[in-house]
Structure formats: structure tokens, C-alpha cells
Amino acid sequence: MTDPTPSGLRFAVVGAGMAGILAAIKLQERGERYTVFEKAGRIGGTWRENRYPGLTCDVPAHAYTFSFAPYPDWSALYATGPEIQRYFEGLVDRYGIGPAIRFNAEVTGLDWDETGHTWTLTLASGERQVFDVVIVASGVLHHPRLPEIEGLDRFAGPAFHTARWNDDAPIAGARVGLIGSGSTGIQIVTAINKQVDRLVHFQRSPQWVMPVPYHTYSDEDRAAFRADPALIDAIRFSDEYMGNVRRFTRAIMDIDGPDMKQVEDICREHFETSLPEGELKEKLRPNYRAACKRLIYSWCYYQEVQHPAVHVETGRIARVEPQGVRMADGTLHELDTLILATGFRADRFIRPAGVTGQGGLTLDRFWARRPTAHYAVTLPGFPNFFMLNGPTGPVGNFSLIDIAERQWDYIDQLVDLIRRGEARSVAPSVAAHADYEERRIAAARRTIFGSGCTSWYLDDEGVPASWPWSYDDFADAMSRPRLEEYDLFGGQVPA
Ligand code: NAP
């Protein structure tokens, strides 16, 4: 049990997305002193920034909620982006954390003071504040990756990344080009195919699609969820959902085992039975193993892509011209709007903020080879610096909310060392982290993510940047930090 007495420590939380809101709620409940710094004018993180048509969380809605804040009002098995944004906004009000959030406050620097065991936080405005503990909740997929295609800036119509949606761009009745067939691109196809005059979907790599059920919740369902939260628990903790999470993470590790065979069989059968023989089917046939890239979870993609307005273009793009996209074979696709569903730079995290830890060690230098963190949460050389959804955490088709909650439990136990006066600051030892990273890299190379495809999961050396062990291993690791792996600095002698 943790001591519920406020510690007097000063906490800075960077980011007011899902993970930052989680941290704020937890700190608020303990009566701790904290400030959340948010670069934008609203909370929500990924759910604020992404507003593309079809934006849906492909994790079942009742599993994509905080364990302590079930939500009876979801509209469907899978929630839309706007309702998830409303859920988080509701929590900010309900838990009274709004006053602690500073908006339009971009953190540009964090500097460790060895003597004081404090972080000096600098904002873009130049303002500085001193904190004892920093919680980095800055998200992963928030730096758009624009394709390096010649002439992109010469397109006559609107051309924009999916995370910078342009509401004025013609879609209905228009000729629309869409580059990219990740989870985002596929969702957009299913949302706009019936509105457009023509949708040219430029697909560099086809995707494996995991079929999932879909249904809306009726008013009666929602009333029942409200009256009896056990009905919500029955969904989010069900064997159907948690069993799938466990099977999926086992499959990722044991790529020739029965769980992966099941994943592959389901995807292959879905592919074979959902599409008629012909050119489109061959364009959509992947040549790598299912789950190597993040699986597309969809109840309708194969059906929607067959809509006559959709043309899947698998040729090589030569360049963008003012009128449209010119293919290497000379074909010109004339377009009114060009959407770039080309993903994100997944190696940025809190950067471009400059972070300097012990002995002048910068985050850029520490991450020169690849972003890494001890059990995805802490960094040697960066005491009292804790990451939520940081590098090497679990990725896949499950709830990052659950991951962040478990990481919070780990962080809170480390902070307890400071609360109890056993240390003024904590960081993993260099040796313990090197051992973790060596084991992680070896295991990650053997996962399905490293089985031969391109994806944002891979770092510059082709190593999957993810947790390579099972869900239960992750839950275990987060339930109790191994204190022998930590250096404790500035401990006080008990009176
Ligand atoms: P992504 O998975 O990284 O996909 C980017 C797409 O753009 C890929 O198809 C890629 O092709 C293509 N591409 C990149 N550069 C290109 C170029 N120069 N020319 C042609 N094609 C190019 O990005 P995303 O779809 O935005 O998804 C990112 C992640 O966000 C997802 O994996 C998921 O974790 C998360 N997400 C989740 C949901 C959800 O429902 N929970 C929804 C959307 C996104 P290649 O494959 O050939 O590289």
C-alpha cells in the first residue's frame, strides 16, 4: 500500500493527452502538487489532432477507457474519435484537473540540476519553472511523416497530412487522392468512398485485415450499462477481449506457434472469402506475414474498397504535378484533393524539446542509436524522469490506456522511494538498462514485427522498437519495479 499523504513534491506532466490526463487524475487524487503543460489549446492528444473522416479506435470502446472511469455512453462497440475526445474532456471536468493544465505551453527544455535533484523546465515563451519529478506523457505518433515525393508542394489543390485535416478541402463529389494504406488510410477509404466522385488510393504495400464484429449500442444497452457497471466489466475484462490480447502477444513472440497460425488463418480466410478473384484481389494480396505490420482491424474494408468510385493504384509514384499524381508509367491521376496518410515519425517522443540529464547527457545523445527506456518507463542518467507510453512499450492492437495505467503503477512505486525519503531521485543503473535492452533487442528481432516487412515499429536498424514479451510479462514487470536495478541518489538518513 502506498502512503496517501501528499508528498510536497512538485510534479510536471508534459502533455494533456490520454496519458497526461491519467497522470493528472492520479496526482490529483493523492493531493500532490502538479502542473500539466500542453502545447495546444485543448486536451486530447491524438484524439484532438486527428479529425479525419472515419476516425475510429479499433480497440473495443469499453476496453479503451480508464479502468477507474467506465463509460456507459459509447455509441458502438468501436468508438469514434470525437466521442473519445468528449470522454476525456468529461474526465477533466469530473476530476477537477482543468485548473492544473496550462494550455499553449510548449515545453522546449528540461535540465537536470544535480545538486538540487530538480528539473528546470523551460517553455517556448522562455518561462522557467523548477520541478522534482517529470512525467513525460507527450505521445508517440504526433510528428507527421510527409512523403518525399517530388513536386508535392506544387499541387494546385489542397494537400495535407491526415493529422492536419483540412475541412475546406473538396471531398464530396471530388477527385481525391489518398497516399498510404496504414490504419489511417484504410479508415479513410471506408468513410469517404461513397461521397467522392473518384478516390485513387495509392497503395505502396497491401495490408492484412483482421475481421472484427461491429454493432452499435442502443439506448437500452446504454441504460443497462449505467444501471449495472458489471455489464461493462464483462466486456472489458472478458476472455474474448483479454484472451485476444494474450493470444496476440503470444503470437507475436512465437511466430511459428499455434496462436500466430490462428491469426494468419483468420486473415487469410477473410482475404480469400471477401474478395472476388481478379485484379483488385491481387493488388490487395500481401507478400509478408500477417501482423508484421500493425494489423488492420476492420469490419468493412474489403467490402468498401470494392465500391466503383475506388481505384487502388499500386504503381510507383513518379511525382506530384499541379493537376495530380504522375505515375512512373506516365499515367496522370487528375485530382482536386490529395490526402497524405503517410504516418508519423515514431522516434520523437518528447523531442524536439531538449532534455539534459546527469553529467550533461542529452536525450539526443542517449537516443543516438535508437530511442529506449528501461522497461519503457525510465532512463539511466535521467533521474525522476518517467515516461508513459515511452519507447519499447507494448504496441499492437490493444489498449494503450491499459498499458499507461500499468506504467503508472510502476512509476508510483518508484516515486514512493522519494516520498519515503529513501532517495531524492531515482534512475535505473546503466548496467541494468543495458541488460534489459540487450535482452529486449534479441527478443524483438525474433517477433513477428521483425519477420520481413516495413513498418513504423522498426527502428533505423530494423529492430522492432517494442515490448517483445507477453502481455502477462509486461503486467508482471509493471506490478513491481526491481529496485535492485535502480540507483538511488541523495537518500536521507532516517531520524
Ligand atoms: P502507417 O501505419 O505508418 O502507414 C503509413 C502508410 O503510408 C503506409 O501504407 C506506407 O506504405 C505509406 N507511405 C509512407 N510513405 C509513402 C510514400 N512516400 N509513398 C507511398 N506510400 C507511402 O501510418 P498510419 O496509417 O497513420 O497509422 C499509424 C499508426 O497509428 C497505426 O499503426 C496505429 O498504431 C495508429 N492508428 C490507430 C488507429 C486505431 O484505430 N486504433 C487508427 C489509425 C492509426 P508502406 O507500408 O509501404 O511503408
Side-chain angles (χ1 to χ4, degrees), residues 22-137:
L22 167 69
I25 291 172
K26 296 287 185 181
L27 293 167
Q28 174 89 1
E29 283 182 337
R30 277 193 81 125
E32 296 284 21
R33 291 165 65 186
Y34 70 97
T35 306
V36 182
F37 295 92
E38 169 54 55
K39 68 181 176 198
R42 284 171 73 203
I43 62 120
T46 203
W47 304 109
R48 176 196 65 235
E49 297 208 350
N50 284 285
R51 297 182 301 105
Y52 61 79
L55 175 63
T56 305
C57 181
D58 63 10
V59 173
H62 285 297
Y64 193 81
T65 51
F66 289 122
S67 60
F68 51 84
Y71 187 62
D73 293 325
W74 295 122
S75 65
L77 185 56
Y78 297 97
T80 64
E83 44 178 340
I84 297 171
Q85 175 72 18
R86 281 198 297 278
Y87 169 67
F88 288 129
E89 283 170 354
L91 292 183
V92 168
D93 290 344
R94 180 166 138 202
Y95 287 89
I97 60 178
I101 306 177
R102 285 196 49 187
F103 292 104
N104 305 307
E106 182 181 354
V107 175
T108 54
L110 282 163
D111 293 279
W112 178 246
D113 173 358
E114 202 82 57
T115 322
H117 296 265
T118 54
W119 286 99
T120 301
L121 177 147
T122 307
L123 295 175
S125 61
E127 181 186 337
R128 287 167 179 243
Q129 284 192 39
V130 174
F131 292 92
D132 302 294
V133 177
V134 173
I135 309 293
V136 180

Side-chain angles (χ1 to χ4, degrees), residues 15 97 191 209 241 306 382 390 392 437 448:
I97 60 178
V209 179
Y241 176 67
Q306 295 179 59
F382 297 84
T392 79
E437 191 59 349
I448 196 72

Side-chain angles (χ1 to χ4, degrees), residues 145-468:
R145 183 187 287 283
L146 297 178
E148 287 170 14
I149 300 176
E150 186 197 325
L152 198 52
D153 54 343
R154 292 202 297 276
F155 183 62
F160 52 92
H161 188 270
T162 49
R164 302 283 181 272
W165 193 260
N166 177 344
D167 289 315
D168 299 326
I171 300 287
R175 300 163 303 172
V176 178
L178 171 65
I179 301 180
S181 51
S183 304
T184 304
I186 298 288
Q187 287 187 343
I188 292 174
V189 171
T190 64
I192 67 172
N193 60 345
K194 297 191 187 74
Q195 301 171 33
V196 294
D197 170 52
R198 180 171 166 79
L199 173 62
V200 183
H201 191 193
F202 299 93
Q203 174 200 271
R204 191 162 68 179
S205 313
Q207 290 279 8
W208 283 110
V209 179
M210 171 65 73
V212 289
Y214 179 83
H215 58 81
T216 54
Y217 291 124
S218 63
D219 287 342
E220 290 74 34
D221 291 331
R222 283 187 282 272
F225 288 140
R226 222 167 285 126
D228 183 6
L231 295 173
I232 295 178
D233 290 348
I235 295 172
R236 61 191 182 148
F237 304 131
S238 67
D239 182 53
E240 190 181 339
Y241 176 67
M242 285 313 297
N244 271 338
V245 169
R246 289 196 165 86
R247 273 191 293 279
F248 190 75
T249 53
R250 282 198 306 265
I252 286 168
M253 290 191 303
D254 181 10
I255 68 174
D256 295 315
D259 294 306
M260 184 49 75
K261 182 172 181 321
Q262 191 184 25
V263 169
E264 288 179 324
D265 286 350
I266 294 171
C267 292
R268 194 172 305 107
E269 190 191 333
H270 182 48
F271 173 82
E272 292 297 349
T273 57
S274 306
L275 293 160
E277 298 305 318
E279 192 188 341
L280 178 63
K281 186 170 192 170
E282 293 320 304
K283 286 180 175 173
L284 298 182
R285 187 188 293 279
N287 63 356
Y288 57 89
R289 294 186 64 178
C292 184
K293 291 175 185 286
R294 184 182 190 274
L295 275 177
I296 305 298
Y297 276 24
S298 180
W299 51 94
C300 60
Y301 172 63
Y302 283 151
Q303 189 186 331
E304 299 299 338
V305 73
Q306 295 179 59
H307 190 278
V310 182
H311 171 71
V312 176
E313 173 59 85
T314 55
R316 195 174 66 77
I317 295 173
R319 61 184 170 276
V320 175
E321 299 181 358
Q323 281 69 38
V325 173
R326 178 80 64 183
M327 307 307 294
D329 69 4
T331 310
L332 175 68
H333 292 289
E334 292 193 41
L335 302 170
D336 304 304
T337 297
L338 183 56
I339 304 167
L340 308 171
T342 44
F344 299 85
R345 292 190 65 182
D347 63 345
R348 301 281 85 198
F349 298 95
I350 190 177
R351 295 182 289 183
V355 182
T356 307
Q358 286 175 322
L361 177 65
T362 63
L363 195 58
D364 276 339
R365 186 144 59 84
F366 183 63
W367 283 354
R369 195 156 176 197
R370 58 171 61 85
T372 171
H374 196 52
Y375 289 88
V377 178
T378 51
L379 282 66
F382 297 84
N384 291 1
F385 183 91
F386 302 101
M387 299 192 75
L388 289 167
N389 292 314
T392 79
V395 294
N397 296 76
F398 39 77
S399 172
L400 284 183
I401 289 190
D402 176 47
I403 303 302
E405 283 194 40
R406 290 181 184 280
Q407 290 173 331
W408 182 264
D409 288 344
Y410 183 94
I411 293 169
D412 204 34
Q413 292 177 65
L414 290 171
V415 173
D416 272 344
L417 296 172
I418 307 162
R419 292 185 176 117
R420 291 197 299 261
E422 291 177 37
R424 290 186 66 193
S425 58
V426 295
S429 72
V430 171
H433 178 61
D435 175 63
Y436 161 81
E437 191 59 349
E438 193 182 322
R439 288 185 289 115
R440 186 197 70 78
I441 289 173
R445 286 188 193 279
R446 293 192 295 270
T447 61
I448 196 72
F449 305 139
S451 66
C453 64
T454 55
S455 82
W456 68 264
Y457 292 167
L458 302 179
D459 67 24
D460 290 345
E461 293 178 22
V463 178
S466 65
W467 180 262

